[in-house]
Amino acid sequence: MPRSGAEARRRLQQAALDLYREQGFDQTTTAEIAGRAGVNERTFFRHFPDKREVLFDGEAALRAALTQAVAEAPDGLQPLEILLCAFREAGRILEENRPFSEPRLEVIAKTPALRERELAKAASLTEAVAEALRQRDVADRLADLAARTGWAAFHQAAQAWIEDPSQSLAAHLSRAFDDLRALSATALLTKADAEG
């Protein structure tokens, strides 16, 4: 079996995911992951700095896809609409990797150390999205709020997609952003009623 390259990396990811589901993240060692993948432990560390990163591989590609989609969104859109375009692009990446994405999210949900890592990665991606919005001349305050709100909607849509795969992630994403718009409209109506 090849010990390097994309095939070895893919096997390491699948072996880690299988072991995390079978015996738990904390009980799994890098040596076990390497053994299951048919490589040695040094090969594992050539591909991943630690056993957590196996589940977070692809962050750079996701960041690039999101920031590029924000930059290339049509002119004249409001920040949340720009983000809807961007998250649809990110959603395609998740959909293409559904056999890995679904169990990955389950393992993360069950493991506090992985949830913490996911929050840190999400914060980093959210900041990258906010910066991409700033590059489109969205004010700092609005860029940050839109990025955080958009990320929350994306996360909710991804969870809904895992729970209800009968609809595409894009459909769940559209619904989440529709809900955001409805919440905003309700807040505006409530404020107008209070002032009137």
Side-chain angles (χ1 to χ4, degrees):
M1 283 190 204
R3 290 179 294 181
S4 61
E7 177 58 24
R9 189 176 192 86
R10 187 201 60 73
R11 283 199 330 272
L12 284 163
Q13 289 173 307
Q14 190 60 54
L17 186 60
D18 292 344
L19 286 165
Y20 297 162
R21 292 176 82 193
E22 290 168 17
Q23 60 192 34
F25 172 81
D26 293 327
Q27 292 73 33
T28 301
T29 66
T30 56
E32 290 173 311
I33 295 167
R36 173 80 60 100
V39 299
N40 64 38
E41 197 170 9
R42 276 186 21 199
T43 300
F44 175 92
F45 287 112
R46 275 191 217 115
H47 290 278
F48 303 103
D50 61 48
K51 69 180 189 173
R52 293 176 299 182
E53 284 304 306
V54 174
L55 296 178
F56 296 98
D57 188 46
E59 180 192 358
L62 181 59
R63 177 190 313 269
L66 283 170
T67 55
Q68 182 177 350
V70 168
E72 294 175 354
D75 290 337
L77 296 178
Q78 294 298 314
L80 283 179
E81 301 309 314
I82 293 170
L83 291 181
L84 180 55
C85 292
F87 287 126
R88 280 183 178 142
E89 185 60 36
R92 285 188 198 98
I93 294 169
L94 282 180
E95 285 185 314
E96 290 169 4
N97 294 307
R98 184 172 183 114
F100 186 78
S101 299
E102 185 172 353
R104 173 191 170 274
L105 290 174
E106 291 171 8
V107 168
I108 290 170
K110 293 178 185 175
T111 312
L114 295 175
R115 287 196 310 267
E116 181 180 324
R117 182 66 146 243
E118 181 181 40
L119 289 172
K121 298 284 188 177
S124 173
L125 286 168
T126 301
E127 178 51 38
V129 168
E131 181 56 33
L133 286 171
R134 286 186 208 101
Q135 294 298 316
R136 289 187 61 123
D137 295 324
V138 175
D140 283 350
R141 184 175 57 92
L142 292 178
D144 288 338
L145 181 60
R148 289 183 181 139
T149 304
W151 187 264
F154 179 70
H155 190 268
Q156 181 170 326
Q159 191 60 49
W161 172 64
I162 295 300
E163 293 167 7
D164 176 16
S166 67
Q167 295 186 27
S168 69
L169 179 51
H172 287 291
L173 194 55
S174 291
R175 185 174 302 117
F177 273 77
D178 286 346
D179 290 345
L180 272 181
R181 286 187 212 66
L183 284 172
S184 297
T186 303
L188 290 173
L189 289 173
T190 304
K191 182 179 177 185
D193 288 344
E195 292 174 351

